[in-house]
Amino acid sequence: MAVSRRRMLAWITGTGLVGSGVLSAVSNFVFIKPRATYGQPQRFSIGKPDDFPAGTRIALEARRICVVREGNKLAALSTTCTHLGCIVGLADTGFACPCHGSRFDSDGTVTGGPAPRALPWYKITLAPNGEIEVDKDTEITPGSYLTL
Amino acid sequence: MSKETASPSLLTAVKELPGNVWKSIFRNPLPTNDLERSSTSFTNFFLHIHPVKVHKNTLRPLYTLGLGLVSFFLFVILVITGILLMFYYVPSTTQAYDRMLDLRGSVAFGTILRNMHRWSAHGMVAVVVMHLCRVFLTGSYKKPREFNWVLGVVLLLLTLLMSFTGYLLPWDQLAFWAITVGTAIAGYAPVIGKDIQFLLMGGSTVGQEALLRFYVLHVAVLPAVLTMAIAIHFWRIRKDGGLSRPADADPTPPMEMMAAMTDPKPSLLEGKKTYGLQGLVRGPLTKVNNIPDNTVFSWPNLFMSELFVFVMTLAVILVLALLFNAPLEEPVNVMHPPNPAKAPWYFLGLQEMVSYSAFWGGIGVPGIFVGLLLLTPYLDRSPKGVGVWFSKDRLLANTIFLTFLLANVIFVIIGTFFRGPNWAFVTPW
């Protein structure tokens, strides 16, 4: 079937214009999505191993993590409630969220309340300078400790 | 001679100056006859969105309750008070709260302007929802108003978004934790939830970037989008023939007149094409020879009604602003969330549902509800039941709608009054 020159030109022009529009819209969203954030970094040092003696269970509230040391093993758990983003507090048996009553055990497993998921564990590494680094962008299997 | 002639002319011009200026601005005198009443809508920029004549049914208070007008006037109040508040507000996590305190303690009329803004915002959400209910329950979404209904639903969502983005700006405990909870609900959406959250907050948590983005959305992006959507919404009302009305609202023209019109006399000039009058305009029947209808001139009937609605709206907002202060709690403390942290009241229904099921409560059910709302005029295409409250012809549609609405209202009430620490049930009394 023959396509007239005029129709062909119309299709090409139309496709070009629509394509430009779509490209422009996508560029807008790419612009708005930040490639670097000004807030708290997701990877940071929390100090040296000596700062966390055996038996430590301490919440670094500004970082929203809880550092746990058992013997020569170290772990960092999130203290952001998986329900609606509140910050959980340490409790005798684990963690408790004051916002809506979610409860977690020492490993972050949900033991009560509306939270749908367990508290994530974050990856910990020992930097060459001897400091402990936490990477909140990487979640690891609960129970995976870093051996010092 | 010439001097004497010029002098009176100049004096005359000076004397007539005020009158000439006045007439050049207000080109029509106050109407005293039908022609002048018709010209009013034609020639005035601010009034020309209105029709020349309006149906009596449209002016019945109990039919529309004026809810669309109230929504629009609340929006106008919000824009004006919002612009005034912008002169003092700074979208910085270190200054926003202090500026709110300054509004309260140092700025003349700061308190009442903030109160007006707050209560107009809450009021607009409530009135827009009621307007949607009115339109649905009177069957006013049917052809030819299907797309205008869709526009209305979009306007409701924009209103919710507008209110939500404004909720954070005071940067107090109430604002911070309500938005933390609200954005977390958005995060439950599958696949794109986290990205939406990240885009909205400009980071991983509610903070400076979130405050800045919410501010830009609240004062620049959403008002522009909302204004355009409102303009189109109003324009479609005019083009769709005004508000809906029941079939028996117009008197039936006498049969002899109809017969005469549908049987035009043959033209004396042979060879020319004969057009039936119906072909010249859209609509079932052409009005010729002053067939009686139930319309009245917009001036003064419609304009007086609108002025009344505006004055009442403004009066209510002023009274609320004088009696109740907008809340301002402690400054943001990330380490000490309130127990429980509650989303804004219009999202408390979602939060209540989220406490039963994260995905279904936060995304599934609301998605289905909004989807059904958008599809309503395309699913229910029977022309019956238009212009009547709770028409029997639309029993099923009304029942389903009221069920959804009532469920949401109940959830909001439970979330607001019956949820206490740890989201446990409490009795408010």
Side-chain angles (χ1 to χ4, degrees):
Chain A
M1 186 194 73
V3 177
S4 71
R5 186 174 300 138
R6 176 165 299 189
R7 181 179 291 268
M8 174 63 74
L9 280 177
W11 268 106
I12 292 176
T13 306
T15 303
L17 284 173
V18 172
S20 300
V22 172
L23 208 59
S24 177
V26 172
S27 299
N28 280 334
F29 279 100
V30 172
F31 172 83
I32 287 173
K33 180 169 186 175
R35 299 161 87 176
T37 58
Y38 298 91
Q40 292 276 3
Q42 295 286 85
R43 290 181 56 186
F44 45 84
S45 295
I46 57 177
K48 293 182 181 297
D50 293 346
D51 298 331
F52 305 96
T56 294
R57 190 159 165 268
I58 186 170
L60 305 185
E61 291 180 334
R63 303 292 194 179
R64 292 192 174 226
I65 62 170
C66 172
V67 181
V68 178
R69 177 162 180 174
E70 298 175 6
N72 67 336
K73 298 186 296 182
L74 200 67
L77 287 77
S78 164
T79 55
T80 299
C81 183
T82 53
H83 178 222
L84 287 175
C86 288
I87 188 165
V88 303
L90 302 190
D92 294 339
T93 55
F95 305 89
C97 178
C99 288
H100 310 108
S102 300
R103 288 179 298 282
F104 310 82
D105 66 12
S106 299
D107 287 342
T109 309
V110 180
T111 57
R117 290 185 294 109
L119 297 174
W121 287 46
Y122 294 132
K123 181 183 177 185
I124 298 186
T125 55
L126 199 58
N129 63 358
E131 292 197 345
I132 301 168
E133 276 190 1
V134 179
D135 181 4
K136 287 179 68 175
D137 280 329
T138 307
E139 295 183 11
I140 60 178
T141 309
S144 307
Y145 291 88
L146 170 72
T147 304
L148 299 174
Chain B
M1 182 65 173
S2 64
K3 194 172 188 179
E4 189 173 342
T5 307
S7 187
S9 174
L10 181 60
L11 283 178
T12 303
V14 169
K15 269 187 273 185
E16 292 179 355
L17 181 63
N20 288 338
V21 171
W22 177 272
K23 273 182 281 192
S24 74
I25 297 175
F26 302 99
R27 291 180 292 180
N28 293 280
L30 285 182
T32 55
N33 56 55
D34 285 354
L35 179 61
E36 286 169 355
R37 290 189 189 96
S38 303
S39 299
T40 303
S41 298
F42 272 17
T43 59
N44 186 294
F45 174 78
F46 298 100
L47 300 180
H48 84 316
I49 187 66
H50 299 83
V52 169
K53 283 188 143 189
V54 63
H55 201 281
K56 284 182 181 176
N57 190 74
T58 301
L59 296 175
R60 279 206 294 126
L62 289 184
Y63 178 63
T64 64
L65 306 171
L67 292 169
L69 276 177
V70 173
S71 306
F72 175 66
F73 291 142
L74 287 173
F75 178 66
V76 172
I77 293 172
L78 281 166
V79 169
I80 294 173
T81 54
I83 288 175
L84 289 174
L85 293 174
M86 280 169 70
F87 280 100
Y88 290 97
Y89 181 79
V90 172
S92 157
T93 52
T94 56
Q95 293 194 55
Y97 186 83
D98 289 339
R99 294 308 178 104
M100 303 311 290
L101 289 179
D102 286 343
L103 274 181
R104 182 195 280 177
S106 305
V107 175
F109 306 117
T111 299
I112 193 170
L113 279 176
R114 180 168 177 243
N115 293 347
M116 286 178 73
H117 199 70
R118 182 75 169 203
W119 304 133
S120 295
H122 290 318
M124 187 175 171
V125 171
V127 172
V128 166
V129 170
M130 286 189 272
H131 179 50
L132 181 114
C133 296
R134 195 283 293 174
V135 173
F136 189 96
L137 296 175
T138 55
S140 303
Y141 55 82
K142 296 184 184 242
K143 184 171 182 159
R145 300 179 177 83
E146 308 98 314
F147 186 67
N148 218 22
W149 164 267
V150 172
L151 270 175
V153 176
V154 170
L155 279 165
L156 168 62
L157 298 177
L158 286 173
T159 300
L160 289 171
L161 201 50
M162 189 87 179
S163 205
F164 187 69
T165 50
Y167 210 87
L168 179 65
L169 303 189
W171 201 248
D172 61 351
Q173 283 284 73
L174 177 71
F176 180 85
W177 290 108
I179 297 305
T180 296
V181 166
T183 50
I185 292 177
Y188 278 114
V191 180
I192 60 175
K194 293 303 173 187
D195 284 329
I196 291 177
Q197 223 181 343
F198 190 72
L199 263 179
L200 204 54
M201 298 195 297
S204 303
T205 57
V206 178
Q208 173 62 57
E209 295 311 304
L211 184 59
L212 186 57
R213 285 173 178 233
F214 274 49
Y215 177 75
V216 172
L217 285 174
H218 188 69
V219 307
V221 176
L222 289 173
V225 175
L226 204 49
T227 301
M228 179 58 65
I230 288 173
I232 297 173
H233 195 55
F234 284 10
W235 185 80
R236 294 289 288 223
I237 293 172
R238 290 297 318 281
K239 294 304 168 182
D240 293 338
L243 301 189
S244 67
R245 49 186 172 274
D248 58 1
D250 288 306
T252 307
M255 288 307 298
E256 53 271 24
M257 298 184 77
M258 290 183 69
M261 281 182 299
T262 54
D263 185 22
K265 301 278 191 296
S267 173
L268 293 179
L269 305 176
E270 294 299 333
K272 291 207 170 183
K273 193 172 180 181
T274 302
Y275 290 88
L277 287 175
Q278 291 190 45
L280 296 179
V281 295
R282 262 180 53 186
L285 193 63
T286 305
K287 295 188 169 68
V288 175
N289 294 335
N290 285 327
I291 293 178
D293 56 19
N294 267 331
T295 58
V296 292
F297 279 97
S298 294
W299 181 288
N301 302 285
L302 180 57
F303 299 138
M304 206 59 65
S305 301
E306 289 187 357
L307 183 60
F308 175 80
V309 172
F310 174 69
V311 169
M312 288 301 296
T313 302
L314 190 57
V316 168
I317 291 298
L318 279 171
V319 169
L320 287 175
L322 289 169
L323 290 183
F324 305 104
N325 276 341
L328 190 66
E329 300 187 355
E330 303 82 17
V332 166
N333 185 340
V334 182
M335 304 309 146
H336 294 94
N339 187 353
K342 293 189 175 183
W345 64 269
Y346 38 86
F347 285 144
L348 265 179
L350 291 190
Q351 189 174 347
E352 175 69 16
M353 286 193 289
V354 162
S355 63
Y356 299 115
S357 163
F359 168 73
W360 282 110
I363 301 294
V365 170
I368 289 172
F369 186 54
V370 172
L372 281 180
L373 281 183
L374 291 170
L375 290 177
T376 293
Y378 306 104
L379 297 175
D380 177 11
R381 296 190 299 178
S382 155
K384 295 183 176 178
V386 177
V388 180
W389 278 93
F390 302 107
S391 167
K392 283 194 173 67
D393 297 308
R394 302 182 45 260
L395 187 62
L396 177 61
N398 284 342
T399 302
I400 295 175
F401 178 81
L402 286 176
T403 301
F404 265 100
L405 183 74
L406 207 60
N408 194 55
V409 169
I410 289 174
F411 280 137
V412 169
I413 291 174
I414 291 176
T416 304
F417 299 112
F418 292 90
R419 289 296 190 182
N422 300 339
W423 208 249
F425 263 112
V426 298
T427 50
W429 50 82

